[in-house]
Amino acid sequence: MQYQTNLPGHISTEQFNQMLVTPESFAARPESLTEQMFVERSLTENRFWLRIMKEHALFLGEGFNRKDTQLIQQTDRFHTYFEQQEKKAYQVPYNVALVRKLNEESIELVHGFRNFKRNLLILIINCKISGFNFPLLVDHIAREAEYFMRTLTKFNQGILDPIQDAIISENVFWLRIMMEHSRFIASLLDQSERNLVNAARKFGDDFEVLLNQARDVESMLYQKQPTYPIIGKMNKDSENAAQEIRAFKQTGLDLIKSCQIRNVINPLLADHVLREADHFLYMIHVLEERLNAKKMAEQR
């Protein structure tokens, strides 16, 4: 029989024989953390997210009906707890065991705050309490608490998700955060600021498109055989969008501080969402470095 090479678009015999094998069996395995990476990434995440959690407590307290004194007092306590834990994150020695203990303490503290947020959300949805804490905002900040806990838990287990799965899950999480930020901003600007309101709404729509695309990739490739070109492009598209909204948020913060626009946005909240855009860009670059290192290793 004459030997025939495979033509583009045609599968080999080996590929055909694998068609009934579970595709998840070809997925990459979790990667291990070096001690240096464990300490550096743990401290970075703690220092960033503990401040974010502290500010969540402040924002929630400001949004309650003033008659809900117990809820206000509880958010005040959370604010104090997170402030203390944030200080500890800057003081802890560069030591694996001590950083792991810091992670454990942060997980325990955030778990309680996550429960508070989730139970608060149910009360708001069922009209048991009033105020100005939008249900989607409470869900938004509860998801951030859950993300923080998941991240530290994996660090303490000494693992990182395979790079393809990490890029997918990080993009799905952060693109939704950026989409919601855009729409929160649009709702907190005075509606007479028509150009800014329209720009914020457009950012929301653009991030929704990227989010839906990322969810499609998640459905197709999460925990499947690595397909790096598609994953790399998704990460790059997110980087471009994140840079644009970061610039928009910076401009908004500057205008708010100088009292040049009509709005009801706390300058701290404007700075808060700007820092989250910065952290999204930080994560994109961390993932890009891992992806490039992985591709280079497989080419050797």
Side-chain angles (χ1 to χ4, degrees), residues 100-276:
R100 180 172 286 108
K101 185 174 185 294
L102 175 76
N103 287 350
E104 291 169 354
E105 292 171 350
S106 294
I107 291 168
E108 183 178 2
L109 178 56
V110 176
H111 187 256
F113 197 28
R114 176 266 179 196
N115 291 345
F116 178 82
K117 291 172 177 177
R118 286 293 177 199
N119 288 317
L120 173 65
L121 178 57
I122 298 301
L123 292 175
I124 295 170
I125 290 174
N126 285 290
C127 304
K128 300 298 183 182
I129 59 172
S130 59
F132 298 96
N133 290 313
F134 291 112
L136 183 60
L137 174 62
V138 179
D139 179 66
H140 176 101
I141 64 177
R143 275 182 270 118
E144 291 184 342
E146 291 159 356
Y147 170 92
F148 183 24
M149 288 191 296
R150 283 196 306 272
T151 300
L152 294 188
T153 298
K154 287 178 182 176
F155 287 171
N156 274 10
Q157 292 170 345
I159 61 172
L160 293 171
D161 285 342
I163 184 57
Q164 175 162 292
D165 294 347
I167 289 176
I168 290 171
S169 59
E170 291 287 344
N171 275 276
V172 168
F173 172 79
W174 282 106
L175 289 169
R176 184 176 181 186
I177 294 297
M178 295 298 113
M179 176 188 74
E180 291 171 350
H181 281 178
S182 305
R183 289 171 177 167
F184 293 149
I185 291 168
S187 68
L188 293 172
L189 287 165
D190 189 86
Q191 297 305 292
S192 66
E193 295 285 358
R194 289 173 175 80
N195 288 337
L196 289 174
V197 170
N198 289 338
R201 287 174 177 163
K202 185 177 186 306
F203 273 116
D205 293 343
D206 291 345
F207 274 104
E208 185 170 26
V209 169
L210 290 174
L211 173 61
N212 286 333
Q213 290 179 176
R215 285 173 170 162
D216 288 339
V217 174
E218 180 181 39
S219 176
M220 297 174 188
L221 295 177
Y222 189 72
Q223 295 183 342
K224 305 294 191 302
Q225 184 175 354
T227 310
Y228 297 141
I230 294 293
I231 298 301
K233 182 180 183 303
M234 182 174 72
N235 213 42
K236 189 63 179 177
D237 289 345
S238 294
E239 181 181 17
N240 293 337
Q243 287 172 339
E244 290 179 8
I245 196 169
R246 194 244 175 244
F248 177 74
K249 289 175 175 179
Q250 181 67 67
T251 299
L253 175 60
D254 294 341
L255 292 172
I256 290 167
K257 284 183 172 180
S258 58
C259 198
Q260 294 186 61
I261 57 173
R262 296 169 294 279
N263 68 95
V264 292
I265 302 174
N266 183 332
L268 180 61
L269 177 59
D271 184 67
H272 178 99
V273 298
L274 174 61
R275 277 181 273 119
E276 290 194 4

Side-chain angles (χ1 to χ4, degrees), residues 12 40 49 95 122 248:
S12 65
E40 290 176 352
W49 282 110
N95 174 279
I122 298 301
F248 177 74

Side-chain angles (χ1 to χ4, degrees), residues 48-60:
F48 173 77
W49 282 110
L50 289 169
R51 181 180 179 186
I52 293 294
M53 295 296 120
K54 177 182 70 175
E55 292 169 355
H56 285 173
L58 176 66
F59 299 146
L60 284 175

